[in-house]
Amino acid sequence: MSAPIFSNHGCRLNAYETAAMKELAQGAGLNDGVIINTCAVTAEAVRKARKDIRKLRRENPDAKVIVTGCAAQIDPDSFAQMDEVDAVIGNTEKMDAGTWSGLAADFVGKVEPVQVDDIMSVTETAGHLIDGFGTRSRAYVQVQNGCDHRCTFCIIPYGRGNSRSVAAGVVVEQIKRLVGRGYNEVVLTGVDLTSWGADLPMAPKLGDLVIRILKLVPDLPRLRISSIDSIEVDDALMEAIATQPRLMPHLHLSLQAGDDLILKRMKRRHLRGDAIAFCQEARKLRPDMTFGADIIAGFPTETEEMFENSLKLVEECDLTWLHVFPYSPRPGTPAARMPAVQGGAIKDRAARLRAAGDAQVNAHLAQQVGQTHNVLMENPRMGRTEQFTEVHFETDQPESQIVQAVITGHTATHLVA
């Protein structure tokens, strides 16, 4: 092989870190490896990672297979025991140039096959200056890592550690670098994004970071925020939503459920009324705001009546883009010890939530017909509006540029221009 193969699983933060690892591996001279960046958010994600490892080994029998990511951090020994795996490295180690220098050598018998330290002891997250991604349209910038909360269903803090922030100055310099290379949109990403700044001097808030970026990088056309916890949104971020048109009108919310008792059993920090009030206020400040949300179907002890409250929340918050997760127990979490919902009921509830989401998407798409949108082109025939709605074009457009388009129609999944 002339270059290592990278396989990314899971979230946008993983995608960002995979891009950073590519540069670290290249700098170290690694040219014979297969690197799988795993996800641990569900049992299914771990199963898919193992399947991918076996597949990539079959396709690359002579390559070094290196496994990293959250699943590897949480349970390194289980991956090290796979015949297909040569090395397992943790989430901290994968961002260390020294790790890749060791892996670039003929490391069999010379480098520890498992390099995974205690993630809870990590107190800093370095900003990684990466030069780009697959296209020149949209870049992701890591501003935070880890999580101090302990939701009863979630294993991620044990893969990512406690919350820690990248300094604002480092973030700004990274964004300036990306804008200078032609990127027209930057997405701020993290594990618990709204906790950004709590560990920094003077404890700034995410809204302060957003306003600082928009002020100090005036050439950045579009700034986008990834998943947030609405109960932690600060006044400065609400002000930015109201006054900064370059902050995109699309927020993905970590809601998880719409029933107050289930939210308490999840150990969430908001109630359904808080979610509804936030969505109403944000849309009042920015009428073109759209929302996505994560919702879990079939959390332990969830009755049909409790599920109906989650289903109703889709309309009450006017959610457009749903990420529906059928509940699956993660060993070591409190929820895994709670009375389970029958599997058929979980599957049925997930299907009903997805159907509700499809109806919301259809209504949103229909509302856009006849409107003019600024569309960031991801390839010559497809781009996204400021609300992150996909638009398909009948003729080629300039890739990675923002074009103005009149919406002429829609399908079940996207707009047509």
Side-chain angles (χ1 to χ4, degrees):
M1 291 190 301
S2 58
I5 296 170
F6 283 82
S7 177
N8 184 72
H9 293 248
C11 64
R12 294 298 187 186
L13 181 56
N14 256 17
Y16 172 87
E17 291 175 344
T18 295
M21 283 192 290
K22 288 179 181 178
E23 296 199 355
L24 290 169
Q26 181 180 11
L30 179 69
N31 57 16
D32 180 22
V34 174
I35 299 91
I36 300 96
N37 197 10
T38 64
C39 172
V41 70
T42 64
E44 178 65 11
V46 177
R47 188 193 69 79
K48 286 182 178 179
R50 293 184 183 281
K51 182 179 179 180
D52 195 30
I53 291 167
R54 290 188 286 267
K55 173 177 176 288
L56 287 168
R57 167 55 82 196
R58 288 195 302 271
E59 295 173 350
N60 304 277
D62 299 323
K64 304 167 184 174
V65 174
I66 302 161
V67 180
T68 186
C70 288
Q73 176 70 46
I74 292 166
D75 191 8
D77 290 342
S78 71
F79 287 97
Q81 290 167 7
M82 294 179 68
D83 293 338
E84 296 85 357
V85 175
D86 295 304
V88 180
I89 60 175
N91 270 335
T92 300
E93 289 77 11
K94 74 182 181 184
M95 308 308 289
D96 185 344
T99 302
W100 294 97
S101 296
L103 294 173
D106 183 12
F107 66 87
V108 177
K110 299 178 182 179
V111 174
E112 287 292 329
V114 177
Q115 301 179 54
V116 181
D117 285 341
D118 178 13
I119 196 75
M120 293 301 177
S121 68
V122 179
T123 58
E124 294 182 357
T125 286
H128 300 282
L129 295 178
I130 60 176
D131 285 326
F133 298 78
T135 69
R136 285 290 174 86
S137 58
R138 178 179 300 106
Y140 295 84
V141 172
Q142 178 188 22
V143 304
Q144 184 273 340
N145 204 341
C147 184
D148 290 339
H149 307 300
R150 295 296 182 263
C151 297
T152 59
F153 57 84
C154 187
I155 198 72
I156 296 306
Y158 304 98
R160 288 288 179 176
N162 294 315
S163 181
R164 51 210 190 272
S165 309
V166 179
V170 175
V171 175
V172 169
E173 288 306 308
Q174 169 73 95
I175 293 174
K176 285 181 178 178
R177 179 185 178 117
L178 291 165
V179 171
R181 294 183 63 84
Y183 285 90
N184 282 314
E185 180 174 302
V186 165
V187 185
L188 304 183
T189 187
V191 175
D192 182 27
L193 199 56
T194 36
S195 71
W196 178 88
D199 56 323
L200 296 176
M202 306 299 291
K205 300 291 187 180
L206 179 62
D208 300 319
L209 177 63
V210 166
I211 291 172
R212 183 170 180 176
I213 291 168
L214 293 170
K215 178 181 179 180
L216 296 181
V217 195
D219 295 335
L220 172 66
R222 292 161 62 142
L223 179 65
R224 196 178 292 279
I225 298 173
S226 60
S227 181
I228 62 171
D229 198 337
S230 60
I231 198 67
E232 294 182 330
V233 169
D234 60 280
D235 291 342
L237 184 54
M238 296 304 286
E239 179 185 350
I241 290 170
T243 62
Q244 301 292 331
R246 290 187 293 144
L247 178 62
M248 294 296 94
H250 169 256
L251 295 173
H252 190 84
L253 309 177
S254 178
L255 297 182
Q256 309 305 345
D259 181 81
D260 284 347
L261 185 54
I262 290 296
L263 287 166
K264 289 180 180 178
R265 288 172 177 166
M266 288 179 166
K267 208 174 179 181
R268 299 294 294 167
R269 294 161 301 285
H270 72 275
L271 300 175
R272 66 177 287 111
D274 298 322
I276 295 168
F278 172 80
C279 291
Q280 290 175 342
E281 179 64 17
R283 190 169 276 114
K284 180 180 177 182
L285 296 174
R286 188 80 179 262
D288 58 345
M289 180 68 72
T290 60
F291 300 106
D294 297 329
I295 299 183
I296 295 173
F299 184 81
T301 77
E302 182 185 74
T303 64
E304 178 63 24
E305 182 181 6
M306 292 170 177
F307 168 74
E308 288 288 343
N309 285 332
S310 290
L311 196 59
K312 287 186 288 187
L313 193 70
V314 175
E315 287 191 14
E316 290 170 331
C317 285
D318 195 12
L319 306 175
T320 301
W321 317 109
L322 292 190
H323 289 178
V324 176
F325 296 89
Y327 175 78
S328 63
R330 304 298 288 118
T333 60
R337 300 190 297 270
M338 297 179 186
V341 175
Q342 194 270 333
I346 294 176
K347 185 176 180 180
D348 174 69
R349 291 172 189 175
R352 289 156 66 190
L353 273 172
R354 292 190 180 108
D358 290 343
Q360 290 288 106
V361 169
N362 191 68
H364 169 73
L365 295 174
Q367 290 169 1
Q368 309 313 307
V369 176
Q371 294 191 25
T372 300
H373 280 284
N374 294 317
V375 181
L376 175 64
M377 300 305 301
E378 297 183 11
N379 62 55
R381 294 292 182 98
M382 190 278 283
R384 292 186 187 271
T385 69
E386 293 182 339
Q387 293 86 3
F388 210 63
T389 309
E390 194 171 304
V391 184
H392 288 210
F393 290 76
E394 295 184 359
T395 58
D396 286 353
Q397 306 294 318
E399 190 171 354
S400 82
Q401 299 303 302
I402 297 173
V403 303
Q404 198 170 75
V406 177
I407 305 305
T408 58
H410 71 92
T411 68
T413 59
H414 61 261
L415 300 171
V416 177

